Amino acid sequence: FSELNTKIRALPSSPNKKIFSTYFFNIDGNATNFDNFALDMAQFSHTFSVIGIAETNVDPCNGQLYQLSNYTSCYQNRYFCENKEHTKAKGTGVCLYVHNDLNFTILNEISVCKKNIETLFVKITNLPEPIIVGVIYRPPDSSNPITEFNAQLNEILSKLENQKVYMLGDYNINLFDLEDTSKDQFQELLYTKGFAPLVSIATHKQSQRAKTCIDNIYTNDIDSEVVSGVISNSKLTGHRPIFQYKHMPCSREAASKKPQAEKVTTHYDYSNANLDKLCAEINNDISTFQNKCSDFNQFANLFQDKIDLSCKLKTPKTSKRNSITNPWITSGLINSIEKKGPPVSRMVQNPQLKNP
């Protein structure tokens, strides 16, 4: 907690920008852990914009019993087991706490409570750009195939196209499990829809078991991320809280204003010719990669040497025209601009009868 507070205070401040932030935690039962959870939240020097919780084991009618100061709570129904004809008592329930400075509406069409997936989504409307935040919980029951969860998630994502979205949740899909093909299907679905995870380290640990990464924040708004991570010293449950901060303009006018392009220094030229040269260098020296790379660091150093040999510029170039500020720019276009630009400028500055 203290480390995160330090990082928050160190964030660059600007009168034209403010911070939008989210926080997620699998609480494993409000009745047992909510009071301590509220104490943990009070340790932060920053107030999160939206807080998501999973496994509340609480219905909306009892959600008012669990309040955080300066937040409005929204609780989803608990899952009703049709075959057993009763509401699930444990391992169910999601909720969102939205700060009172924010106006929002609940998106009922994509807020569901089913056997394979529980969700609650809201749309925050009084920001320079509207943002949708959702909390998702996938029960770990082995009778809930990931294929069905993926199908239901895909249906939700199809209704969120062309909107900025943050999905907080416990997906019970371990990103560390390299042998799980269903995990790859889940990630492929999200990548195809333009979403990326903001957490890549362990978020869950049980005694006598390996650490897993099953909690995450997925977003399709990754260009302006400032800080994201895990609260590693939280001991309330086997899950660790996760969070995200981003800078955003303070007004709609500032959001719509295009920033001026800054000069960028380029040290490498990844042209097709240079990449072909890199492939040839690696192919010619493939035995070294196979026989002398006993660990990843040795491989990385050798690979970097090949990149330097093939793609590194002898003299770095500094210009506004590059692949960062102008993604469409190519070396051919740059050469044409440098060749034809000066004559055209002189012609414009010195009009003649034949060139009015």
Side-chain angles (χ1 to χ4, degrees), residues 1-11 40-48 231 243 245:
F1 294 96
S2 59
E3 182 181 353
L4 180 57
N5 283 332
T6 301
K7 287 188 175 183
I8 295 171
R9 287 192 292 268
L11 290 176
D40 281 351
M41 298 307 300
Q43 295 186 47
F44 290 111
S45 59
H46 169 78
T47 301
F48 288 91
I231 307 296
F243 62 89
Y245 290 82

Side-chain angles (χ1 to χ4, degrees), residues 61 101 161 199 253 346:
C61 59
D101 287 343
E161 294 180 353
V199 176
E253 291 76 13
R346 289 195 297 270

